[in-house]
């Protein structure tokens, strides 16, 4: 549980203005945390459910909606447009699940930042992402080595240099391809975390976050106008509107909706839908109007799940589904697609769509194992040791090093002042947190 911190005061409201809000606003005001120490349960089951829907959409795109001709084979029985004439074009919009992830991430990461120091936020993100990611990369490499030795074709690179680069989670910056194809989104997320970490260094308050949102959108637009690769990389100009929209929805959840937050959300959404055309162009067969409508529907669901009435939903299966989302997302393409191809080749007579369903089911089972044994157990230990590393008694260590070195003028002076006085000033082990 994050340590108690002071939060910004609520935006000023008059009684007359409060009466102008609709029932929606009353729902939203009741959804605000009761105190700054997070005494209210911050787990929103409906938001976890949205994350699962986004992951399913991405998986549907890769398995059923892919525009690659002959993806599962050249036979008519394996031709997706023939086998699934309705499901194939609908799943072709599943790439919007990535955009939905970024929108939800703006909400969730802003929630995760509140009440934490920059070091605590960094530890929470590292412990949440890296153990499962490392396990998936090593699984992909191991499966690739076995497939290669068996004389089978394996799409993901498995050489040592590429593997080492991927273990950093930033392989593209190091000039090597991604082992897990979908992991490119993690590099986008990491840069978003850095921006939020910079804001944490300044101090997280309502007014600063609102100003940060407007400033981010403005600078991102300038980067696009200047066609600056540096600004685009740092400010995530293609996805800034989605992240800021998620942040605005979280502020509505925490403080209640007001005109400033609706303006921030409106500007962010206009920005996001405008630049969405770049992604639409990269996905042939999709329409900007349909994509904008689907993504706007995702925003409405997030508004209902955060500030809206679905915030009170406490259905545990949705929470568990949210926990499975990250490992499932990582394994479904780089491991799920080869496994499904193996099922299609070896198990005859069950058809293409049942084979795909079986492959996705195996991905879910693998994700549940990763969640239980890696994320839940290893991740907790990893987080515990990282937090302990933040609380190293640096002053005691320096005193120990001085005594081993035979003492220094300062150490001699301190000894001359008396042992009791030194102990009275010393910081107890494990105190202080991040400095």
């Amino acid at each position: 549980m994050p340590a108690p911190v002071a939060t910004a005061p609520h935006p000023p409201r008059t009684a007359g203005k409060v009466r102008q809000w609709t029932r929606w606003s009353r729902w939203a005001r009741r959804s605000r945390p009761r105190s700054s120490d997070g005494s209210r349960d911050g787990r929103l089951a409906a938001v976890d459910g949205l994350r699962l829907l986004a992951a399913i959409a991405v998986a549907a795109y890769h398995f059923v909606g892919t525009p690659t001709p002959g993806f599962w084979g050249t036979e008519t029985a394996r031709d997706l447009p023939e086998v699934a004439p309705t499901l194939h074009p609908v799943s072709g919009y599943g790439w919007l699940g990535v955009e939905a992830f970024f929108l939800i991430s703006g909400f969730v990461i802003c929630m995760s930042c509140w009440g934490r120091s920059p070091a605590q936020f960094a530890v929470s993100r590292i412990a949440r992402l890296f153990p499962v990611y490392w396990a998936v990369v090593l699984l992909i490499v191991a499966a690739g080595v076995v497939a290669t030795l068996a004389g089978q074709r394996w799409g993901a690179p498995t050489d040592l240099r590429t593997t080492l680069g991927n273990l950093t989670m930033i392989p593209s910056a190091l000039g090597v391809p991604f082992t897990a194809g979908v992991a490119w989104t993690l590099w986008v997320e990491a840069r978003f975390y850095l921006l939020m970490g910079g804001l944490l260094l300044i101090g997280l308050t309502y007014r600063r976050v609102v100003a940060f949102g407007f400033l981010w959108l403005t600078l991102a637009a300038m980067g696009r106008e200047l066609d600056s690769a540096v600004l685009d990389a740092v400010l995530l100009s293609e996805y800034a509107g989605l992240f800021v929209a998620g942040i605005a929805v979280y502020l509505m959840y925490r403080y209640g909706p007001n005109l400033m937050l609706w303006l921030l959300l409106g500007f962010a959404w206009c920005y996001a839908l405008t630049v969405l055309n770049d992604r639409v162009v990269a996905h042939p067969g999709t329409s900007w109007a349909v994509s904008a409508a689907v993504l706007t529907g995702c925003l409405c669901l997030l508004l209902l799940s955060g500030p809206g009435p679905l915030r009170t939903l406490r259905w545990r299966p949705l929470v568990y589904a949210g926990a499975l989302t990250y490992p499932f997302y990582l394994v479904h393409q780089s491991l799920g697609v080869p496994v499904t191809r193996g099922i299609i080749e070896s198990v005859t007579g069950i058809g293409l769509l049942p084979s795909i369903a079986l492959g996705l089911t195996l991905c879910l089972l693998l994700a549940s194992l990763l969640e239980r044994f890696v994320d839940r157990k290893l991740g907790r230990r990893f987080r515990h040791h990282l937090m302990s590393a933040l609380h190293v008694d640096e002053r005691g260590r320096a005193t120990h090093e001085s005594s081993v070195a035979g003492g220094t003028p300062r150490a001699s002076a301190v000894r001359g002042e008396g042992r009791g006085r030194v102990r009275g000033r010393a910081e107890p082990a494990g105190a202080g947190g991040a400095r």
Side-chain angles (χ1 to χ4, degrees):
M1 183 68 68
V5 295
T7 57
H10 291 190
R13 293 179 182 171
T14 65
K17 289 181 179 179
V18 171
R19 285 193 295 269
Q20 294 174 3
W21 293 110
T22 61
R23 182 178 301 175
W24 159 276
S25 180
R26 292 195 295 273
W27 285 334
R29 285 196 298 273
R30 288 199 301 269
S31 73
R32 286 175 283 174
R34 293 174 181 173
S35 65
S36 60
D37 63 357
S39 58
R40 172 174 290 216
D41 182 11
R43 198 75 193 183
L44 297 173
V47 176
D48 284 320
L50 282 179
R51 293 170 57 201
L52 179 63
L53 286 177
I56 291 174
V58 175
Y61 174 76
H62 287 140
F63 279 73
V64 183
T66 173
T68 304
F71 183 76
W72 297 113
T74 56
E75 297 88 344
T76 304
R78 299 182 185 179
D79 186 24
L80 284 170
E82 292 289 335
V83 175
T86 302
L87 192 59
H88 174 66
V90 171
S91 300
Y93 287 90
W95 58 270
L96 288 166
V98 172
E99 269 67 13
F101 272 128
F102 293 150
L103 172 64
I104 298 168
S105 182
F107 182 98
V108 172
I109 297 305
C110 194
M111 174 186 284
S112 179
C113 283
W114 224 279
R116 284 179 171 171
S117 68
Q120 289 171 331
F121 172 67
V123 166
S124 71
R125 292 296 90 201
I126 292 172
R128 175 70 180 91
L129 297 180
F130 273 97
V132 173
Y133 174 78
W134 286 333
V136 170
V137 168
L138 295 178
L139 279 175
I140 293 172
V141 171
V145 171
V146 171
T148 302
L149 292 177
Q152 302 295 322
R153 183 176 62 87
W154 189 259
T158 57
D159 61 280
L160 181 59
R161 176 174 173 268
T162 301
T163 302
L164 292 176
N166 273 269
L167 291 176
T168 67
M169 205 183 280
I170 54 172
S172 59
L174 302 178
V176 295
F178 286 96
T179 298
V182 296
W184 68 268
T185 60
L186 301 183
W187 177 222
V188 176
E189 290 277 355
R191 285 175 282 171
F192 172 51
Y193 298 162
L194 288 175
L195 291 174
M196 293 301 294
L199 184 58
L200 271 175
L201 289 173
I202 301 172
L204 213 60
T205 66
Y206 166 81
R207 292 184 178 88
R208 286 173 182 170
V209 175
V210 171
F212 169 78
F214 281 113
L215 181 62
W216 186 2
L217 292 174
T218 302
L219 293 178
M222 291 173 61
R224 293 181 66 86
E225 184 179 18
L226 297 173
D227 198 20
S228 170
V230 174
L231 288 178
D232 284 345
V234 174
L235 299 173
L236 305 170
S237 62
E238 193 169 8
Y239 306 107
L242 297 168
F243 287 121
V244 174
I247 291 172
V249 175
Y250 174 71
L251 292 177
M252 290 182 181
Y253 164 75
R254 186 176 183 87
Y255 293 100
N258 58 62
L259 181 59
M260 183 64 70
L261 293 181
W262 282 117
L263 282 175
L264 178 60
L265 179 59
F267 279 120
W269 206 243
C270 289
Y271 179 103
L273 294 186
T274 302
V275 302
L276 179 65
N277 190 63
D278 294 346
R279 292 271 286 160
V280 171
V281 170
H283 293 85
T286 57
S287 160
W288 176 88
V290 175
S291 300
V294 171
L295 200 55
T296 301
C298 294
L299 174 63
C300 293
L301 288 175
L302 183 61
L303 285 166
L304 291 172
S305 302
L310 294 181
R311 77 195 180 281
T312 60
L313 189 62
R314 292 293 182 269
W315 196 34
R316 293 186 63 85
L318 284 181
V319 177
Y320 180 66
L324 292 183
T325 298
Y326 179 52
F328 173 76
Y329 178 75
L330 288 179
V331 304
H332 83 272
Q333 184 184 36
S334 296
L335 287 173
V337 169
V339 168
T340 303
R341 284 202 171 103
I343 293 172
I344 293 173
E345 296 293 337
S346 59
V347 183
T348 59
I350 66 172
L352 178 62
L353 294 182
S355 299
I356 291 174
L358 181 57
L360 289 174
T361 301
L362 293 176
C363 288
L364 278 174
L365 291 175
L366 178 57
S368 67
L369 293 175
L370 289 169
E371 188 276 334
R372 180 174 181 179
F373 295 105
V374 179
D375 188 26
R376 196 186 307 177
K377 293 187 176 181
L378 181 59
R380 285 177 181 175
R381 293 183 181 180
F382 192 48
R383 183 182 295 105
H384 171 73
H385 287 295
L386 284 176
M387 290 302 300
S388 298
L390 291 177
H391 299 159
V392 173
D393 187 357
E394 296 178 358
R395 191 178 302 176
R397 178 65 178 172
T399 303
H400 172 71
E401 290 176 351
S402 298
S403 64
V404 170
T408 61
R410 173 60 183 162
S412 301
V414 169
R415 284 195 295 270
E417 293 174 0
R419 292 179 181 271
R421 188 175 177 186
V422 171
R423 289 176 181 171
R425 288 201 314 267
E427 180 181 350
R435 291 187 290 271

